[in-house]
Amino acid sequence: MTLDRRDFLRALSIAGAGTALAASEVAPAGALQRPPKPVSPEAIGLLYDSTQCVGCKACVASCKRANDMPPDITADQRAWNEGTWDTAKGLSGNTLNVIKVYRDGSMEQKDRETDGFAFIKRQCLHCVDPSCVSCCPVSAMTKDPETGIVSHDPDRCIGCRYCVFACPFQVPVYQYDRAFGKIQKCQLCKHRLAEGEIPACAESCPTGATLFGRITDLRAEAHRRLELQPGDTYAYPSGELGGDRGDAYAPTEKTVRVSYLPEVYGEHVLGGTQALYLAAVPFEKLGLPHGNVPDYAYAAQTEGVQHLLYKGMIAPGAVLAGLVLLARRNFGKHHHEAEED
């Protein structure tokens, strides 16, 4: 009996299609998802208010210092800044936190969609149900069950970069420019948290645009701001919201200039995140997935399908059955040819 590559792949395709069809008939679409993962009561994170950000990039500089990251200078920038000014254009192997700007038309007014501009902070959002953790084959990506911080262990990582492609926010970055590159991402300054400090980005923010705290407190703060109207005054906190880490910061009373979008980004999108956002410009214009993404985590769907297929060994059994049928067919064909010869 012979079994060439084409026949083998055909058998696998038939078995796979049969298994998928059986799975779809066994369970409705919604049932293919596993239940969503809840947020830990002690989960911590960040609240970034785009309307309060002035684009000073103090958070970028402090993140570099706290995490011992080198300046990020692209080739087209070396000539004019002589290699002395960190000018990161986005997240990279050297930049875990960056401020980007939205621009439209004449850019006359901050936090306006048309003929305006706005700032947006990008870093790991520490998803409630992270795809990077789900897809990692060696558990190098992990989520702390208490704090919810998504961490990366370089000693366990094999460099497959599945996490890079699986993240819907395009956060983990591989250091392609190094002979022995590593995955890099924000880990919420967990080394500073262990020493009783707060993440460097929140500590250095001069306007309170980035706040650190428990998720329950941050969500409550975000919803209080959604009730504000232009012309209202509000005492904006800074640094840490509640808690007792780091130095105490006095709130700063300011006049609300613009209307917030009626949504706290990160409460529901893609299963929720522990980095929350408020803005006056549509989130999709600020580079965040919005509108065309589900409220459930992709990991809930992929893991649900996997669990269904492997429940009762359905998938392996279907593949084995396909191979047995193919072997029997080839055996009969060649046995008949041998008798004729």
Side-chain angles (χ1 to χ4, degrees):
M1 181 187 72
T2 60
L3 182 63
D4 60 26
R5 181 171 176 271
R6 178 175 298 178
D7 288 339
F8 178 75
L9 293 176
R10 183 185 295 122
L12 283 181
S13 300
I14 294 171
T19 304
L21 179 61
S24 64
E25 291 181 351
V26 168
L32 294 178
Q33 296 173 210
R34 63 157 167 72
K37 292 186 176 180
V39 182
S40 164
E42 299 302 318
I44 53 179
L46 300 172
L47 169 62
Y48 172 77
D49 187 336
S50 176
T51 71
Q52 297 301 303
C53 183
V54 294
C56 68
K57 297 187 178 181
C59 58
V60 181
S62 61
C63 176
K64 296 266 184 179
R65 286 194 298 273
N67 294 282
D68 195 25
M69 304 297 285
D72 211 346
I73 305 171
T74 57
D76 62 320
Q77 297 168 328
R78 290 196 180 98
W80 61 267
N81 72 8
E82 299 180 345
T84 60
W85 190 4
D86 178 66
T87 48
K89 292 183 177 179
L91 299 178
S92 74
N94 297 329
T95 301
L96 312 180
N97 165 70
V98 70
I99 296 294
K100 304 193 75 170
V101 61
Y102 161 79
R103 297 177 293 184
D104 182 80
S106 60
M107 298 175 57
E108 294 176 359
Q109 183 175 322
K110 185 177 181 299
D111 300 311
R112 189 168 70 183
E113 181 180 0
T114 304
D115 287 333
F117 66 99
F119 297 108
I120 185 69
K121 184 177 188 290
R122 298 300 315 279
Q123 83 284 313
C124 177
L125 279 73
H126 298 277
C127 299
V128 174
D129 194 351
S131 295
C132 60
V133 173
S134 175
C135 74
C136 183
V138 294
S139 298
M141 285 287 187
T142 57
K143 186 172 179 65
D144 188 285
E146 182 177 355
T147 65
I149 295 175
V150 178
S151 301
H152 172 252
D153 184 350
D155 294 330
R156 299 190 64 129
C157 183
I158 58 175
C160 68
R161 286 159 270 173
Y162 285 176
C163 57
V164 174
F165 301 106
C167 177
F169 302 102
Q170 302 178 337
V171 169
V173 182
Y174 185 76
Q175 296 172 319
Y176 290 99
D177 58 339
R178 302 184 187 185
F180 301 98
K182 298 178 181 178
I183 293 292
Q184 295 288 354
K185 65 176 283 298
C186 160
Q187 302 190 82
L188 208 58
C189 284
K190 61 180 182 180
H191 59 295
R192 289 172 56 88
L193 296 176
E195 297 176 353
E197 300 176 298
I198 66 175
C201 60
E203 183 183 69
S204 63
C205 183
T207 64
T210 299
L211 273 179
F212 167 77
R214 293 198 314 160
I215 291 299
T216 51
D217 295 334
L218 295 175
R219 286 181 174 179
E221 172 67 16
H223 281 280
R224 281 194 292 271
R225 297 188 188 187
L226 292 189
E227 298 298 320
L228 300 173
Q229 300 297 322
D232 292 346
T233 57
Y234 186 70
Y236 287 88
S238 59
E240 182 181 16
L241 189 65
D244 54 3
R245 292 188 178 92
D247 298 328
Y249 298 86
T252 303
E253 190 166 280
K254 304 176 186 177
T255 300
V256 179
R257 299 176 299 100
V258 294
S259 297
Y260 287 103
L261 295 174
E263 178 181 351
V264 180
Y265 188 91
E267 268 197 311
H268 306 293
V269 66
L270 292 167
T273 64
Q274 292 180 212
L276 307 175
Y277 288 85
L278 292 176
V281 172
F283 295 112
E284 58 271 24
K285 295 289 182 68
L286 300 177
L288 295 171
H290 189 262
N292 58 350
V293 291
D295 283 346
Y296 57 82
Y298 291 136
Q301 193 171 50
T302 56
E303 289 184 17
V305 172
Q306 290 173 0
H307 295 166
L308 177 65
L309 291 178
Y310 282 90
K311 186 177 182 180
M313 300 298 287
I314 294 175
V319 172
L320 178 62
L323 292 175
V324 169
L325 290 174
L326 181 62
R328 285 177 58 86
R329 192 197 69 175
N330 281 352
F331 178 80
K333 176 182 176 183
H334 290 287
H335 182 70
H336 179 69
E337 292 174 352
E339 288 181 342
E340 289 181 346
D341 292 340

